[in-house]
Amino acid sequence: MHGYDDDKAKVIARLRRIEGQVHAITQMVEDDKYCIDVLTQISASNSALKSVALILLDDHLNHCVRQAAVQGGEVAGSKLEEASAAIARLVRS
C-alpha cells in the first residue's frame, strides 16, 4: 500500500485535468494563439502539477515516513533522507 492510497482518486482526477490542460496548450500553439496566453496556461499547468506534488508529499510524510519513524533505525533515516531530497526537488522547480 502506498501513502497516497486514500487520495488516489483525487490525484488521478487532477492529473487527468492537467493532461487536458497540456493538450489544450498544444492546441493553442497549433492554432497560433498569442504567446502570453500560452505562457499563462503553461503557468497554470505548472501550478496544478505542484499542487498534486504537495498532496503526494503530504501523504508520503504522513504514511511512509511516519511508519518508518516507528520502525526506527536505518529505515527511518533512509525515509527522512528520501523525503528531504523530494522537498529539495520541489523547491528548486
Side-chain angles (χ1 to χ4, degrees):
M1 181 166 115
H2 295 287
Y4 57 82
D5 261 9
D6 291 341
D7 289 325
K8 188 174 182 176
K10 180 170 60 172
V11 168
I12 289 171
R14 286 182 180 215
L15 289 171
R16 288 202 172 120
R17 201 171 320 128
I18 294 165
E19 279 182 297
Q21 283 179 303
V22 172
H23 180 73
I25 293 167
T26 302
Q27 190 64 51
M28 289 176 77
V29 172
E30 288 174 352
D31 294 344
D32 297 319
K33 297 294 182 184
Y34 185 55
C35 308
I36 297 302
D37 294 338
V38 175
L39 290 169
T40 298
Q41 291 306 312
I42 290 171
S43 178
S45 295
N46 281 334
S47 293
L49 277 171
K50 285 182 181 181
S51 174
V52 171
L54 289 173
I55 290 169
L56 292 171
L57 179 61
D58 186 60
D59 287 344
H60 181 68
L61 291 171
N62 285 308
H63 179 265
C64 303
V65 174
R66 182 180 302 228
Q67 198 172 53
V70 169
Q71 291 177 359
E74 191 175 312
V75 172
S78 174
K79 287 294 179 188
L80 286 171
E81 287 177 20
E82 191 178 71
S84 181
I87 292 166
R89 285 191 302 274
L90 284 173
V91 170
R92 282 192 298 262
S93 65

